[in-house]
Amino acid sequence: MAFLCRRAASLLKPSGAAPALLSAARLYSSGAQYEYILVEKRGEKKDVGFIQLNRPKALNALCDGLMKEVGEALNAFEADGDVGAIVITGSDRAFAAGADIKEMQNRTFQECYSGNFLAHWDRVSTVKKPVIAAVNGFALGGGCELAMMCDIIYAGEKAQFGQPEILLGTIPGSGGTQRLTRAVGKSLTMEMVLTGNRIDAQEAKQSGLVSKVYPVDQVVSEAIKCGEKIAANSKIVSAMAKEAVNAAFELSLTEGNRLEKRLFHSTFATDDRKEGMTAFVEKRKASFQDK
Ligand code: HXC
């Protein structure tokens, strides 16, 4: 509990241990208090930022407040020099069942357009540190889009992915038509987006949407392990690697290769590149300083 801020202690209520612990778990050292998510640092070295969506009654429907909190937690982890990777997860039943339909039900076009509705969701895809989605249960609509904004997706055996917006008379609005197409190709994306059909974890693995499938109770721990592995590397070089891979979705092959080469050259400006290669030659483990 060392990572929790002092304010947590002052908020502990005398009315029983469970709520008190819950209050504490909702606080991260930034001092922010969260209503819809649980935030902590995980891993042996506490170097993996962990965000758990926590609106169980609504199957983690992504209301505005929840996504604002996710953005705040990401900002805190991005600024935390000890954190080298971030894991986002939900519950066993639902990663997230989509944007909050009840919240959207009466919105007008004018409100959506003028307020740039959902623009702040993009924060998930602009974080420099690697983000892993650990998905159990439903990842539908905005939930599937949230997972796809992450860099790596691990799925539990009972996970289901879908873009069912068409059944609500709308279409994906946070990258579903774009990221899903890039991940699984046109035919399967069209089928999912036009019919609302879901795919299960195995289909998601076969089609390239997720990289690993685990038993339900192991997805989060495996995602944390992956996060720890990433966090053991140089944070600055990991950010460059992430930037280079993401460029593959934006640039032509020639431009992408040019950017990769420039970033590769840039690693030679870091102490960590020197340390990594020196450690290899000296037959010892590298000790990266993120410089
Ligand atoms: C608000 C939701 C919700 C959602 C579930 N709930 N999904 N509330 N927004 N997206 C609420 C239900 O209203 C219900 O609360 C409770 O969660 C449990 O849901 P049930 O339907 O009773 O559970 P179940 O029968 O097990 O069915 C699970 C489900 C179904 C298949 C996931 O809930 C469902 O189809 N949900 C909607 C999925 C969806 O269409 N997602 C896309 C949303 S649009 P109450 O209190 O009413 O009992 C979207 C647009 C993205 O994401 C645009 C860009 C981000």
Side-chain angles (χ1 to χ4, degrees), residues 55-63 67 93-94 96-104 117-118 121 138-146 149 160 162-168 170-176 198:
R55 272 190 94 196
K57 283 186 188 150
L59 301 184
N60 290 332
L62 303 165
C63 61
M67 286 308 293
R93 191 166 171 224
D100 191 317
I101 300 167
K102 293 168 189 172
E103 204 175 71
M104 285 187 291
F117 180 44
L118 298 182
W121 284 40
F138 300 113
L140 304 179
C144 187
E145 292 172 304
L146 173 61
M149 284 180 201
Q160 290 188 41
Q163 298 289 163
E165 289 90 342
I166 198 81
L167 306 174
L168 300 167
T170 185
I171 71 169
S174 271
R198 301 176 203 154

Side-chain angles (χ1 to χ4, degrees), residues 28 41 46-51 73-88 122-133 149-152 226-227 230-231 233-243 246 290:
Y28 177 60
K41 293 204 267 186
K46 303 285 179 220
D47 51 6
V48 180
F50 182 77
I51 299 172
L74 290 172
N75 289 342
F77 285 142
E78 190 85 311
D80 186 330
D82 295 333
V83 170
I86 298 161
V87 170
I88 300 180
D122 293 344
R123 178 66 185 120
V124 183
S125 61
T126 60
V127 175
K128 280 194 169 175
K129 293 179 181 175
V131 185
I132 305 160
M149 284 180 201
C150 300
D151 302 306
I152 298 170
C226 178
I230 292 169
N233 298 324
S234 165
K235 291 182 189 65
I236 188 163
V237 177
S238 292
M240 290 182 194
K242 172 169 170 169
E243 185 182 346
N246 277 333
D290 307 317

